[in-house]
Amino acid sequence: MVQLPVTEETFAISTISLVRIRQNAVIFNGRFPNSGDGLHYTLNDNVNWLAAFWPGMLWLAGANNDDPIYRETAVSLLPTFSNRLDQQVHITHDLGFLFSLSARAQWQVTGDEAARQLALRAADLLADRFRQPGQYIQAWGPVGEVERGGLIIADTMMNLPLLFWASEQTGNPRYYEAAYHHAQISRQYLIREDGSSFHTYFFNQETGEPIAGRTHQGYSDDSLWARGHAWMIYGFALAAQWCNEPLFLDAARQTAVAFLNELPEDKIPLWDLRLPAHETPYRDSSAAAIAACGLFRIAQLDNDSQMYAQGEELVAALIHHCLETDPAGQGLLKHGALHVPKGWAADEYIIFSDYFFLEALLTLENRNPDFWGPTNKD
Ligand code: GLY
């Protein structure tokens, strides 16, 4: 296992981050931060996939700090997650993000059995999205919908850990098998020969036959959407850990190398790594933070000090180019890009930039509670 050293700089930043989260717990007052222009986050109800990350940050903090405010605030948010299942509020493949960082995290930190049961309920719904003909998990829309029934997307790789965890917890292989087959299909069709990736891929949903790679959030079908690619790096590293599958570790490595090769000199990715020169060069700090977590996971699995050093360089670049240093700022990282083609939050705080940055810092300090990997690490 690669040793992850603590540096004074990262320790100071993670300490300041925990203080900021404490202040935000009061300011946000039961609502969910999404993105933020200037020094403030806009707040929302628990109605979209972004709701995963504020509880996730509270649990990262709560697992590392005796101050009860972190845990109490996170616990107070859980009924809104249960409500989403009851009321079927925007149920998609993102159940993995939503329930790994809320219900699973709550169970993991506090041992709360009701939270564990809630996470298992979400895993059931996620497994129901598995489509037998093509052996993949449908990302969006009602299962079997004409328009999106044949669509997979890169982001789903980060939703698979909830399924692996559900099989670990229950002994029922149904969840693991859905996740394993989805990862195999993603490896075969989303990863291009040069290690870059399509954001999405279409299949004939009746026969499972592959049709074509496309994009939803990238610049074009053949460009390279930075965050989708970062989800692939981290998602394949986690699938490799859960399945002990060398093909998944190869996929994680291959996508990681492609990501690193296409970074600009300052190592903060453009929102699309193949953005034409005439386009506004918005950056996406979230992609660097997610990729750093992925590189650390590969380094841990493969005892790879070079991959670890590359992850450290990404964290250093985020600290030097994106850190919010204004004490009045609510966010941790600036320069996130939520959805540039739709014109949403192109250069702002985004709550998942902050989540993965904090997770990366805590990983460097050997105090990441790890809400994605196996509970039983033996
Ligand atoms: N899951 C969508 C995104 O990364 O923006």
Side-chain angles (χ1 to χ4, degrees):
M1 176 75 72
V2 173
Q3 271 301 318
L4 304 177
V6 181
T7 70
E8 272 179 35
E9 189 182 23
T10 66
F11 194 73
I13 294 167
S14 61
T15 304
I16 291 168
S17 301
L18 295 200
V19 172
R20 200 163 294 168
I21 293 168
R22 191 184 198 295
Q23 291 163 343
N24 287 343
V26 178
I27 297 165
F28 296 163
N29 190 25
R31 303 196 76 213
F32 292 81
N34 283 4
S35 58
D37 197 1
L39 299 175
H40 300 101
Y41 264 110
T42 53
L43 302 177
N44 212 334
D45 294 329
N46 187 344
V47 290
N48 59 31
W49 75 285
L50 292 152
F53 301 99
W54 172 231
M57 292 182 76
L58 289 162
W59 286 118
L60 286 179
N64 279 291
N65 197 298
D66 288 336
D67 185 332
I69 189 165
Y70 301 110
R71 294 176 188 211
E72 285 174 9
T73 306
V75 167
S76 75
L77 298 173
L78 197 66
T80 68
F81 286 86
S82 171
N83 186 53
R84 276 192 71 171
L85 297 190
D86 295 342
Q87 309 291 324
Q88 294 281 297
V89 179
H90 199 62
I91 300 298
T92 68
H93 70 129
D94 286 325
L95 287 161
F97 283 113
L98 287 163
F99 286 84
S100 294
L101 297 183
S102 59
R104 174 190 163 171
Q106 181 160 324
W107 163 75
Q108 198 169 313
V109 178
T110 70
D112 180 350
E113 177 58 22
R116 177 177 168 278
Q117 291 300 333
L118 183 62
L120 290 173
R121 222 178 118 204
D124 267 325
L125 288 176
L126 182 54
D128 287 346
R129 301 185 69 81
F130 185 70
R131 309 297 314 277
Q132 283 295 345
Q135 301 281 290
Y136 57 77
I137 291 166
Q138 181 184 326
W140 297 316
V143 176
E145 187 196 60
V146 173
E147 198 189 331
R148 293 173 291 183
L151 179 73
I152 68 167
I153 73 172
D155 325 25
T156 306
M157 285 305 302
M158 278 304 288
N159 286 313
L160 304 185
L162 184 72
L163 295 173
F164 291 128
W165 173 84
S167 277
E168 178 201 67
Q169 290 297 306
T170 62
N172 182 344
R174 151 175 136 95
Y175 313 97
Y176 180 100
E177 282 168 10
Y180 180 86
H181 291 303
H182 180 88
Q184 287 287 20
I185 289 294
S186 299
R187 186 182 68 77
Q188 279 174 262
Y189 293 101
L190 288 175
I191 302 179
R192 303 178 184 126
E193 261 183 29
D194 62 358
S196 67
S197 59
F198 293 114
H199 178 207
T200 72
Y201 205 98
F202 275 95
F203 296 85
N204 177 323
Q205 65 172 316
E206 308 304 336
T207 64
E209 271 174 67
I211 298 174
R214 296 272 185 262
T215 198
H216 177 73
Q217 274 165 271
Y219 180 76
S220 64
D221 291 342
D222 57 1
S223 68
L224 182 51
W225 181 45
R227 188 163 65 251
H229 197 69
W231 295 135
M232 296 277 278
I233 298 169
Y234 198 8
F236 273 109
L238 288 162
Q241 184 177 15
W242 278 104
C243 302
N244 199 18
E245 168 60 83
L247 288 171
F248 295 160
L249 191 54
D250 287 349
R253 285 191 162 284
Q254 200 191 356
T255 49
V257 169
F259 183 88
L260 293 167
N261 284 344
E262 302 218 25
L263 285 177
E265 208 171 317
D266 65 7
K267 297 204 183 293
I268 305 301
L270 294 170
W271 68 274
D272 190 305
L273 289 160
R274 294 180 179 170
L275 194 69
H278 64 267
E279 292 288 336
T280 310
Y282 293 118
R283 304 293 175 134
D284 185 5
S285 55
S286 78
I290 296 158
C293 293
L295 300 186
F296 290 145
R297 191 71 56 145
I298 298 168
Q300 287 168 335
L301 294 178
D302 224 9
N303 204 24
D304 182 338
S305 54
Q306 270 191 341
M307 201 53 92
Y308 173 71
Q310 303 268 22
E312 268 189 322
E313 281 188 33
L314 288 183
V315 175
L318 287 169
I319 290 171
H320 291 118
H321 300 293
C322 302
L323 191 69
E324 176 57 271
T325 52
D326 188 326
Q330 292 175 348
L332 306 183
L333 283 188
K334 299 183 283 191
H335 309 315
L338 184 56
H339 197 320
V340 178
K342 285 203 167 141
W344 297 343
D347 183 11
E348 301 196 6
Y349 295 149
I350 304 179
I351 193 61
F352 51 78
S353 297
D354 289 2
Y355 172 85
F356 285 99
F357 178 60
L358 183 60
E359 184 185 308
L361 291 175
L362 295 178
T363 303
L364 282 167
E365 297 165 7
N366 274 324
R367 55 189 189 126
N368 171 18
D370 188 8
F371 303 131
W372 308 108
T375 313
N376 180 354
K377 302 267 197 300
D378 297 336

